[in-house]
Amino acid sequence: MLVHLEMNNEAESEDQLEFQELVASAGAEPVSLIIAKSVQPNPKFLVGQGKVEEIRMLAKQGNADIVLFNHALSPSQERNLERRLECRVHDRTALILDIFAQRARTHEGKLQVELAQLQYMSTRLVRGWTHLERQKGGIGLRGPGETQLETDRRLLRARIKNIRARLDKVRKQRDQGRLSRSKAEIPTVSLVGYTNAGKSTLFNGLTEADVYVEDQLFATLDPTLRRLDIPELGPIILADTVGFIRHLPHKLVEAFRTTLQETTEATLLLHVVDAADENKRANLEQVNLVLNEINADKVPCLQVYNKLDLLDGSEPRIDRDITGLPWRVWISAETGAGLDLLKQAIRERLSRDIICRELKVSANEGGLRSKLYQKGAVLNETVNEEGDYLISVRLPRQSLNRLLARR
């Protein structure tokens, strides 16, 4: 049974169609959808008493196992609704967490989802073991003992602490990988965007990878990285990341910080937007809010308007700002139209700080020559009559300046 509440406040309202897509992505079978209008949410049930009774009657008629609300419910509201409706009740956050739990494939992804679930559950523990209200101690352990609720909370805290320690270990391994890429001067380009905007399809189209693609919300959960060669630029690392959604639960953002770090430390962001979506502007703003929350709003960004094949009479193109710099590219990842323009725009955005020049390196400067080769910066090399190396190089301005300063 689905319950959608129409709020007067635009900032608090949710998208009804997106809610139904979330339910379908979770694998649930909707019995019916109830739409309620609320000027002031009821602190006890969120909806009014009459609407609660209507939901209870329809849930019984449809033999519903669970009632899903398209809004955040407080722990007390959830408990009150379960008692009145006599069936399980979950809110939008629990629904998103369930989808994430189904999609997690890697060890890290499973840990992150479990952490978010435990943090969510910690505020919703209730005393369900009345016969174990007090656990009695044995000889030498007399006393009131602890309640079952206290035991559950203690075990929960211990598990959360354990998961955080394991995620810290994973984070250090990721940091090591990022450090080695940084030393090799390889730029990282990260795909971000609203869920189901076509990021994984674009990722597969650019890298010829086989990342799981499906027309559903949160099809991608675990980040994937691939090397991609851009003409006249060289190799880059392309990262496919989890999609964002309106009112993404804060606990989820906190749990996925290690994954989202690929976004915060990227050289360039490709913000993928579903050009055929009527709510594209609102979705774009929601993604920007999450980027701001994870401190990635200062990273240079190139907008990619995808699904051009669903728009009539639109052709692939690059939109430029007043300085001539690309800021938006129109493509279709499904058909491959405009991918060459996207690579061109990436090259232009990343090559602004790339220097191409010829260096004269003497025979006794073997260390400098070796470092240039280690960085993959050498395009061509010849030797003049004096025995000096004439090396054509291509590398970032900062890197070249550092090398020449140590000459």
Side-chain angles (χ1 to χ4, degrees), residues 370-385:
S370 173
K371 286 177 180 175
L372 289 170
Y373 271 100
Q374 284 176 10
K375 291 182 177 296
V378 177
L379 300 176
N380 187 34
E381 181 186 77
T382 58
V383 182
N384 64 13
E385 294 176 356

Side-chain angles (χ1 to χ4, degrees), residues 3-7 9 12-16 19 34-36 38 41 46-47 68-74 77-78 89-95 120 124 247:
V3 181
H4 173 74
L5 196 63
E6 290 185 350
M7 305 278 197
N9 189 347
E12 295 179 2
S13 63
E14 303 289 358
D15 188 341
Q16 178 191 324
F19 177 43
I34 292 182
I35 299 176
S38 176
L46 184 68
V47 294
L68 298 172
F69 278 76
N70 190 23
H71 307 276
L73 294 172
S74 69
Q77 286 173 341
E78 201 170 285
V89 174
H90 283 309
D91 63 2
R92 178 185 171 87
T93 302
L95 179 61
Y120 175 78
R124 284 165 163 74
H247 300 151

Side-chain angles (χ1 to χ4, degrees), residues 345-364:
I346 293 172
R347 175 177 59 77
E348 289 185 40
R349 289 296 298 263
L350 293 179
S351 63
R352 297 181 72 197
D353 293 323
I354 302 292
I355 300 296
C356 289
R357 59 177 288 190
E358 187 176 79
L359 295 178
K360 185 178 179 181
V361 181
S362 63
N364 60 0

Side-chain angles (χ1 to χ4, degrees), residues 219-247:
T220 301
L221 185 58
D222 301 306
T224 309
L225 289 89
R226 290 288 187 277
R227 178 183 168 125
L228 173 65
D229 287 309
I230 301 292
E232 300 178 34
L233 177 69
I236 66 168
I237 298 296
L238 191 66
D240 187 19
T241 59
V242 61
F244 302 145
I245 197 169
R246 183 187 296 267
H247 300 151

